[in-house]
Amino acid sequence: MSCTLRLTIVSLLMLSLLGCENKRVIRPANIDKTQTGANTDAGSSKQFVDQAVNYLDGLDRYEPVRVKSEVLEQLNRWLNVQKFDKTWQPDPMIADLPSEVQGLPRLQNLETRDFLEQPNGYPNFTMRGSEFDFFVGTYWAKTISNWIRETKLPPESMQKFLDAQENKTLDESQVADLGLAYLLFDWTVRHIQPIKPTKYEEGKFAPGTSRDVWEALQLNEGDALERARVFIQLCRQQGLDAVVVKFGKDKDAVTQVVGVAIGKELYLFDTAYGLPISTADGSGINTLSRIVEHPADLQAMATKNYKYPVSADDLKNVTLLIDAPSTSLTQAAYLLEGVLSGDSTMKLYVSPSSLKDRLADFQGVTDVQLWMVPFLAEEAMSKRLSDPDLAQLFSVERWLYDTPTPFSMARMLQLMCRFEGESQQPGARRLFLEARILERKFRISTPSEQLEILKASGMDLPSDPKSQQVYLDRIHKSMVMWRELASFNLGVISLGAGQNESAVFFFQDGTLKEFPNTRLKSAAYYGIGRACEALAIEEDDPAMAQNAYDIYTDDDDVLSPYRRGNTLRAERLPLIEETEEPAKEDDKADAKPMAEPEGDKPEAEEKKAEAESSDDTTPAPMKEKDSAEKDSAES
């Protein structure tokens, strides 16, 4: 076994098994952490805000528990020397909420309270539950949305629609805003996966309340409403007003659409379908005013098998729901946003009444309300911790994402849009690959070699052989979880970078083939479909379009949250004139094979190793012609 592998595993195990209690935090550079007394004036106290932002910028460098403590400590030290406006009042729309929501702890003392610490009684295994969660989620949303704005362009078909709006309904700046909204939406539906809840979670959370925004971002998971909340936060960080659009009356209301305000129009995006609400010809992005006047336009969102859930009657009752987390309603958030500038700027404060004043007169709007879902989502963690089964799942989840390991570090870098290495520091892609390679190499090591590695790390091991094996199995199970999640996230990164063949490899071989029972099955099929669709357009290739069609329609889970949106995507695919039914198995074997991507040396090494050790359970539309061709591509 190589020295590099030995050191990597030792380092990993020391981090993951010994914990992080003794890990020293590296202080941010150029910050004077001088103890400041009560006499500190409001101007000089800005250093505390700068230090808190430095910690957020260095989430990949500092130990998570201490970062949380430092961020809250510095922000509250700054807040304690500010002069609160005694005339400031909470937004009046809060008074319209049900009394049980108004009574929630986070909605108390909004005029004068500090940023809240973790509630008493939370177990030691979680660093979560404080208002640090709100700040880190906002920071991720700002970083991601900035990266999208600076690096991405709408696809050609969408750009044609956008260009046609200029000087017709929108000016140049508004066209750019609509294009950015589309890109933020597309990022959301590719990254936030509507994975079905586990049997322990099923029926215990109302839609949208299982995960707060920071959690949906960190886990890559969320139902249609949680997707909507992530999309709204991305828009907010770019200065775009976005709200949930509720069609119909409360009992049968449809709340899977987000409206983004551009000019005097609300442009509509369906977070359940993962597609904008199109114009009548199935292209572009429709507006609320248009579909209210022309309900027949919604027929473009129907497929042969599924009616679109919004009816003409529903359009007579349109309520806009404002997403405003409790922290964003405090005077503290208002003051803090006011001192942030330059690269540190974040949208922290929300004024629901101001947003209502802007949107209430939009054509088709019946009412504007403050949305209850964000407040209930903030209580989800307490609900999880009070249920033994959910608490166990939550413990595993927090260990995966909040314990410093190569996988959690890769996930953090991914959320910070640091995909490639810089200044001798590995990026997200490299660390995900290393997590995959590490699992395989540990797996093929003998038990005695594994024990030697653990002994070399200074661990006290059980003397009983049976207990030793249990210990080794536990370690390997952890690595297997990292491998599964790393494979999927490598697919997500590749898809976002336009490396579509690489995306197919990681979704297909790395995820579906290796983990046929994965909870990510439908998400991986969706990723393969998106990659094949992009390749079909790039190469003007009907066979590849057929591949995409087959993937979109072959998900064998009739209850899959992707099914309706995928069906519509399939029917809209270019290069396929008419497809009455999915291709038969015999036809799929003749579909055009995917070439393996050319990666860097570790990636190529990993793929070759996987080809040697995996069973062939590849989805039929993507099967290679023969093993010789695959081996050649991997080499």
Side-chain angles (χ1 to χ4, degrees):
M1 180 175 294
S2 70
C3 179
T4 300
L5 171 62
R6 186 181 300 274
L7 290 175
T8 302
I9 296 180
V10 168
S11 175
L12 169 63
L13 295 174
M14 289 179 70
L15 285 172
S16 61
L17 298 177
L18 294 179
C20 51
E21 292 83 354
N22 298 319
K23 185 176 179 180
R24 185 174 69 87
V25 177
I26 305 171
R27 297 289 180 194
N30 303 320
I31 294 294
D32 178 15
K33 188 176 169 62
T34 304
Q35 294 296 323
T36 307
N39 293 327
T40 302
D41 62 76
S44 64
S45 68
K46 173 66 162 50
Q47 65 175 308
F48 300 135
V49 174
D50 293 340
Q51 184 159 342
V53 172
N54 260 279
Y55 272 109
L56 289 173
D57 285 337
L59 284 167
D60 59 316
R61 302 192 303 274
Y62 311 133
E63 184 271 309
V65 175
R66 290 294 301 277
V67 171
K68 180 200 76 171
S69 300
E70 292 287 349
V71 168
L72 288 177
E73 177 187 342
Q74 302 310 318
L75 291 180
N76 282 329
R77 289 177 70 186
W78 167 80
L79 194 60
N80 288 339
V81 296
Q82 305 308 303
K83 292 182 179 179
F84 280 104
D85 181 354
K86 294 182 180 180
T87 66
W88 190 92
Q89 294 292 320
D91 195 281
M93 291 182 71
I94 297 172
D96 297 330
L97 294 168
S99 57
E100 62 270 21
V101 175
Q102 291 187 51
L104 293 173
R106 287 173 179 259
L107 284 174
Q108 309 310 306
N109 304 317
L110 298 175
E111 307 96 319
T112 59
R113 71 169 173 81
D114 290 350
F115 297 117
L116 299 176
E117 300 278 355
Q118 181 173 296
N120 293 329
Y122 271 39
N124 293 330
F125 67 74
T126 179
M127 57 168 278
R128 300 295 176 174
S130 70
E131 288 190 299
F132 169 78
D133 297 336
F134 170 80
F135 289 117
V136 77
T138 303
Y139 173 80
W140 285 335
K142 182 203 77 166
T143 303
I144 292 164
S145 60
N146 281 353
W147 176 80
I148 293 169
R149 186 193 68 225
E150 294 165 3
T151 65
K152 299 299 178 183
L153 293 171
E156 184 179 350
S157 58
M158 181 55 65
Q159 191 61 55
K160 287 181 180 178
F161 167 79
L162 295 170
D163 291 342
Q165 309 313 303
E166 190 169 342
N167 300 323
K168 179 181 177 184
T169 58
L170 301 174
D171 62 29
E172 183 179 359
S173 174
Q174 291 168 336
V175 168
D177 285 344
L178 182 56
L180 177 57
Y182 171 81
L183 291 171
L184 298 175
F185 174 75
D186 192 56
W187 184 96
T188 301
V189 299
R190 283 186 289 105
H191 286 76
I192 309 302
Q193 314 299 335
I195 297 168
K196 291 191 298 184
T198 66
K199 64 179 181 180
Y200 302 108
E201 297 169 302
E202 197 166 8
K204 294 183 179 179
F205 296 94
T209 67
S210 175
R211 306 282 184 195
D212 209 351
V213 169
W214 68 269
E215 230 175 336
L217 282 168
Q218 190 184 54
L219 273 63
N220 279 30
E221 290 186 27
D223 63 19
L225 295 189
E226 287 150 358
R227 269 182 163 183
R229 295 197 64 210
V230 169
F231 177 42
I232 288 169
Q233 181 66 290
L234 294 176
C235 287
R236 182 169 290 156
Q237 296 309 308
Q238 296 302 314
L240 300 175
D241 290 330
V243 292
V244 168
V245 184
K246 183 173 78 170
F247 296 102
K249 297 180 180 178
D250 287 342
K251 183 179 178 181
D252 300 312
V254 178
T255 54
Q256 63 191 50
V257 174
V258 170
V260 180
I262 310 285
K264 289 293 292 182
E265 296 283 2
L266 273 178
Y267 287 84
L268 305 178
F269 300 82
D270 190 313
T271 56
Y273 276 53
L275 289 162
I277 293 186
S278 66
T279 56
D281 63 358
S283 67
I285 309 168
N286 218 329
T287 64
L288 176 63
S289 64
R290 171 72 192 185
I291 66 168
V292 167
E293 288 186 351
H294 303 277
D297 280 10
L298 289 176
Q299 289 302 311
M301 297 296 291
T303 63
K304 295 175 182 177
N305 296 323
Y306 300 109
K307 292 173 61 177
Y308 192 65
V310 178
S311 68
D313 283 343
D314 293 330
L315 296 174
K316 298 175 183 176
N317 294 276
V318 178
T319 303
L320 307 185
L321 302 174
I322 297 172
D323 184 318
S326 60
T327 310
S328 71
L329 298 171
T330 63
Q331 183 173 189
Y334 173 77
L335 293 172
L336 179 57
E337 184 178 315
V339 301
L340 296 174
S341 60
D343 293 340
S344 300
T345 301
M346 288 186 284
K347 301 294 184 181
L348 301 172
Y349 178 70
V350 178
S351 173
S353 293
S354 298
L355 194 52
K356 180 177 181 178
D357 289 344
R358 182 192 172 192
L359 301 179
D361 293 334
F362 275 33
Q363 185 176 350
V365 174
T366 307
D367 194 11
V368 183
Q369 299 174 0
L370 191 55
W371 198 20
M372 289 191 298
V373 161
F375 311 122
L376 300 178
E378 291 172 350
E379 297 298 306
M381 190 180 302
S382 296
K383 192 170 183 178
R384 288 181 183 278
L385 293 173
S386 64
D387 182 301
D389 292 325
L390 295 181
Q392 181 63 31
L393 290 174
F394 186 72
S395 175
V396 173
E397 171 190 296
R398 291 300 94 212
W399 184 87
L400 277 171
Y401 290 92
D402 290 339
T403 301
T405 65
F407 168 76
S408 65
M409 184 66 68
R411 187 73 189 109
M412 180 69 72
L413 289 168
Q414 186 181 2
L415 288 166
M416 297 171 78
C417 301
R418 299 177 188 173
F419 306 111
E420 309 301 335
E422 53 186 34
S423 301
Q424 298 183 336
Q425 295 295 323
R429 192 191 302 269
R430 170 72 62 169
L431 286 176
F432 279 136
L433 284 168
E434 288 182 358
R436 282 175 53 85
I437 293 170
L438 177 60
E439 183 278 331
R440 181 180 184 276
K441 290 185 175 178
F442 194 78
R443 169 171 26 106
I444 64 176
S445 297
T446 66
S448 60
E449 288 175 325
Q450 295 170 351
L451 289 170
E452 285 300 318
I453 293 170
L454 300 184
K455 289 177 182 177
S457 71
M459 292 185 180
D460 293 327
L461 301 174
S463 57
D464 175 54
K466 186 175 181 180
S467 299
Q468 289 178 353
Q469 188 58 51
V470 170
Y471 197 59
L472 293 174
D473 289 344
R474 186 178 69 177
I475 293 170
H476 187 238
K477 283 180 181 178
S478 298
M479 292 184 180
V480 170
M481 285 192 289
W482 297 334
R483 183 181 181 88
E484 178 183 353
L485 294 169
S487 300
F488 181 80
N489 279 290
L490 283 164
V492 171
I493 291 173
S494 298
L495 185 63
Q499 298 165 350
N500 295 302
E501 293 179 349
S502 182
V504 169
F505 173 82
F506 286 114
F507 286 133
Q508 175 181 280
D509 293 343
T511 305
L512 294 174
K513 182 184 288 187
E514 290 189 42
F515 304 96
N517 297 319
T518 178
R519 290 180 65 235
L520 299 166
K521 181 179 179 181
S522 292
Y525 270 96
Y526 174 77
I528 295 171
R530 289 292 303 266
C532 290
E533 181 179 348
L535 286 167
I537 294 170
E538 289 170 9
E539 301 171 5
D540 195 32
D541 186 345
M544 190 59 67
Q546 185 65 50
N547 272 341
Y549 183 95
D550 292 340
I551 287 292
Y552 283 145
T553 57
D554 276 7
D555 188 343
D556 58 6
D557 183 359
V558 295
L559 299 179
S560 168
Y562 289 90
R563 197 168 183 83
R564 290 172 179 261
N566 282 1
T567 301
L568 184 56
R569 278 188 175 275
E571 292 188 6
R572 287 180 175 176
L573 278 170
L575 311 176
I576 294 182
E577 293 298 326
E578 287 229 5
T579 304
E580 295 297 331
E581 59 183 10
K584 297 178 181 179
E585 289 295 324
D586 291 340
D587 297 329
K588 294 175 191 175
D590 296 329
K592 183 175 179 179
M594 295 294 302
E596 298 292 359
E598 291 183 8
D600 53 21
K601 188 174 180 180
E603 184 173 346
E605 177 186 347
E606 169 64 0
K607 291 172 187 172
K608 187 171 183 179
E610 294 315 309
E612 294 168 352
S613 61
S614 299
D615 293 329
D616 184 11
T617 56
T618 308
M622 306 306 302
K623 279 188 179 291
E624 287 81 6
K625 289 181 179 177
D626 54 54
S627 60
E629 180 178 342
K630 181 175 182 181
D631 290 342
S632 175
E634 287 165 349
S635 299

